[in-house]
Amino acid sequence: MNANAPTILIVDDEPPIRRLLRTSVGSQGFQVIEAGDGRSALAEVDHARPDLVILDLGLPDMDGLEVIRALRDGGNAVPILVLSSRADEKGKVEALDLGADDYVTKPFGTAELFARIRAALRHRLQQQGEQPVFRSGDLEVDLVRRIVRLRGDEVKLTPKEYDILRMLVAHAGKVLTHRMLMNEIWGGETDVQYLRIYVRQLRQKIEANPEQPRHILTETGIGYRLRMD
C-alpha cells in the first residue's frame, strides 16, 4: 500500500456494506479506515484526518446529517460523499445544503462510486490551488478577466448567467443544490423556475447540444453539477 495514497473513511453501520466498500475502494490504491456509527466517525476524522469520508445517512447513534453539521460547524472541510437510499431525495438535498460534496445512491455501481470519489478529491485540490483559469473540454473560463470561451471563441454572457457559471466553476465536480445557487445569486429571493430559465439560456451558449448538455449536468430534483474533465 502506498503510504502517500489518499485515506478514505467509510462510515456505515452495516458490516457487509463496509466490507464491500473496503474491498472496492482498497483495490483502487486508497488507504481505508472504517467507522460503524457517527461518534466513531467524528473521532476518526479528528484522529486520522482522512482525505475523504464516505458517509451513510442512516446511522444507529446519530443521523448522518448531524455528522455533516458537526464537521462543517467545526470548520472541517474534508470532502463528504453521502450514501443514500434511492427514494431519499429530501435527504440528499439536505445533506448537500449542509456541506456534503456529493452523493451515491444505493445500490451503487463501483464505476460510479470511483468517479464520484475522484471528482470530490479533484474538487478539493482545485479549491486549494485556486486556479484563475478553468478548462474542461472545449470550455474555458477566465475567472480574473471574466472571459468565457468555447472552442477558442469568446462567449458573451449576461451578468446573471456569468454569476451562475462562476459558482459552478468554483465548485466544479460538486453538486450544487437549487437553494445554494439561489442564495448565492439572488440572495434566496427567487423561484427555482427562474434559475432553470437562466441555466437553459446558459446552456444555449456553452453547450454544443443544449438538449444533451456535456458541461452543466442536471441532478434531477436536486440541482446542477459542472463536469470536470
Side-chain angles (χ1 to χ4, degrees), residues 184-203:
E184 178 72 17
I185 308 302
W186 288 280
E189 298 178 3
T190 192
D191 187 272
V192 68
Q193 190 58 33
Y194 202 45
L195 170 62
R196 291 190 178 111
I197 289 170
Y198 271 100
V199 170
R200 186 161 60 243
Q201 292 174 181
L202 185 54
R203 281 173 168 161

Side-chain angles (χ1 to χ4, degrees), residues 4 69 72 212 228:
N4 295 319
R69 184 180 288 110
R72 296 306 187 233
Q212 295 182 319
M228 293 177 69

Side-chain angles (χ1 to χ4, degrees), residues 8-23 25 32-42 44-45 52-64 67 80-85 104-108 113:
I8 294 180
L9 169 61
I10 295 169
V11 187
D12 198 297
D13 64 330
E14 298 182 51
I17 296 291
R18 290 206 307 273
R19 187 162 54 248
L20 169 65
L21 288 169
R22 180 175 66 243
T23 302
V25 172
V32 178
I33 53 179
E34 301 176 31
D37 57 60
R39 290 183 179 83
S40 298
L42 293 174
E44 284 290 355
V45 170
L52 182 139
V53 176
I54 298 177
L55 175 68
D56 182 32
L57 293 182
L59 299 174
D61 59 337
M62 60 191 296
D63 192 283
V67 175
I80 300 171
L81 182 61
V82 166
L83 293 181
S84 67
S85 63
V104 174
T105 300
K106 294 181 178 179
F108 52 83
L113 175 65

Side-chain angles (χ1 to χ4, degrees), residues 139 161 164-165 168 181 198-204 206-207 210 212-219 223-227:
L139 178 66
E161 289 167 354
I164 292 170
L165 182 59
L168 288 166
L181 287 162
Y198 271 100
V199 170
R200 186 161 60 243
Q201 292 174 181
L202 185 54
R203 281 173 168 161
Q204 292 286 343
I206 69 169
E207 300 283 3
Q212 295 182 319
R214 183 180 176 280
H215 297 296
I216 302 177
L217 308 179
T218 297
E219 298 289 329
Y224 300 98
R225 177 203 309 269
L226 186 67
R227 179 173 172 172

